Amino acid sequence: MRAHELDFLLGVAKGAGAIAMKHFGKAPEYWDKGGGQGRVSVADMEVDSYLHDEIGRAFPDDAILSEERVSNVERLTNPRVWIIDPIDGTEAYLNGQKFFTTSLALVENGVPIVGVIYAPASDRMFTAIKGEGATYNGQPIQVQESRLDAAKILASSARYNRAMINQAPPLDLHFRPSIALRLALIAQGKYNGTFAMRPSWEWDIAAGMLILQEAGGVLTDGEGNVPNLNAKHPSINGMIAGAPNLVHELVKRNLNKED
């Protein structure tokens, strides 16, 4: 069954990517969501509608949690929830940068069991099935361990925690705006870890969490707890992810940081 669900996600990820690319670089209409949530575009909404239609048609009994819609509380009593982010990295997308993704996960009883992250501008596909490993464009991937003082850390240029960074040893920072892409690149072994000390939405992390776990990595909240997904308020308090030893060091660093 999970192979069928992965095949389904691969197909709709490609379809979502085609919609996103139709508008990419063409100054699509956008507006501010308000409340400090940033911008959303017509492309986000078109992808969202497409995904809801496809999931609803294929799995009518399942619930959906999406960044672009008001959360339906009925999902809280449904054991199966599709957690989706139509375009993760909308700011990059609107600025003509290729670092955006579609992030899709099937969650059962709070645990992601199938996940796909697709970066359409570079045609990069990351996938995982719980217990069966993770892949990049069909090839197995694995996280890479590193000492903290030698680690390559991914962060968002807008949302990294300076108090954490300014503690010795200094961190070797690299920036990607999409949380999902950061998690995928760490699972691929290109980088070693990432963190976001502000609350992180479930649609940003659900697919990447599974892909990272299946590649041998770990994702926790800011206090080192592995999150249970499909919460009433679908976010976690901070996010630290990467190779296991590195996550352990970053959690300690966060808990011991000076405000």
Side-chain angles (χ1 to χ4, degrees):
M1 180 64 175
R2 292 181 182 178
H4 166 68
E5 292 159 339
L6 177 60
D7 286 343
F8 168 77
L9 282 184
L10 289 171
V12 296
K14 286 282 191 176
I19 295 170
M21 293 306 295
K22 178 181 68 174
H23 295 285
F24 184 56
K26 299 178 181 178
E29 180 186 356
Y30 66 86
W31 53 95
D32 193 284
K33 294 182 182 181
Q37 298 181 77
R39 297 186 290 179
V40 63
S41 73
V42 294
D44 294 83
M45 302 311 295
E46 285 187 21
V47 173
D48 181 78
S49 293
Y50 164 78
L51 292 171
H52 272 79
D53 289 346
E54 293 298 314
I55 294 170
R57 185 178 300 112
F59 302 95
D61 295 329
D62 294 354
I64 303 173
L65 172 61
S66 170
E67 177 178 12
E68 306 306 345
R69 299 203 182 194
V70 175
S71 177
N72 185 346
V73 294
E74 292 180 0
R75 67 181 169 80
L76 300 175
T77 58
N78 195 319
R80 285 171 51 98
V81 181
W82 299 82
I83 300 182
I84 64 174
D85 193 341
I87 297 180
D88 184 37
T90 297
E91 292 297 324
Y93 177 82
L94 290 173
N95 292 331
Q97 300 169 353
K98 64 181 181 179
F99 302 119
F100 63 91
T101 64
T102 292
S103 179
L104 310 169
L106 173 59
V107 171
E108 283 190 353
N109 298 310
V111 177
I113 62 166
V114 184
V116 164
I117 295 171
Y118 181 50
S122 52
D123 196 26
R124 290 184 285 181
M125 183 76 76
F126 301 85
T127 73
I129 294 176
K130 186 172 177 59
E132 298 185 21
T135 71
Y136 163 65
N137 285 354
Q139 299 301 312
I141 53 177
Q142 186 75 25
V143 299
Q144 295 296 315
E145 292 279 13
S146 173
R147 302 187 321 272
L148 182 57
D149 61 359
K152 296 168 66 178
I153 303 295
L154 280 171
S156 166
S157 58
R159 292 191 174 185
Y160 58 88
N161 185 292
R162 292 186 181 277
M164 186 172 175
I165 287 170
N166 290 339
Q167 294 184 41
L171 299 180
D172 178 14
L173 289 172
H174 306 260
F175 300 107
R176 295 292 186 275
S178 164
I179 292 178
L181 182 59
R182 298 197 321 249
L183 296 174
L185 292 173
I186 294 163
Q188 191 185 3
K190 297 292 187 180
Y191 299 88
N192 306 112
T194 188
F195 58 87
M197 291 298 98
R198 296 183 182 182
S200 295
W201 295 105
E202 290 187 3
W203 44 75
D204 291 326
I205 66 170
M209 176 179 171
L210 176 63
I211 293 168
L212 184 64
Q213 290 170 338
E214 289 299 313
V218 177
L219 184 148
T220 75
D221 64 18
E223 296 184 345
N225 304 305
V226 176
N228 197 53
L229 303 181
N230 193 34
K232 183 176 182 180
H233 182 68
S235 71
I236 64 173
N237 186 23
M239 182 270 296
I240 299 175
N245 73 317
L246 192 63
V247 169
H248 178 70
E249 291 301 315
L250 286 171
V251 169
K252 287 198 306 181
R253 189 169 181 171
N254 180 51
L255 294 178
N256 294 330
K257 73 179 185 293
E258 296 181 3
D259 293 331

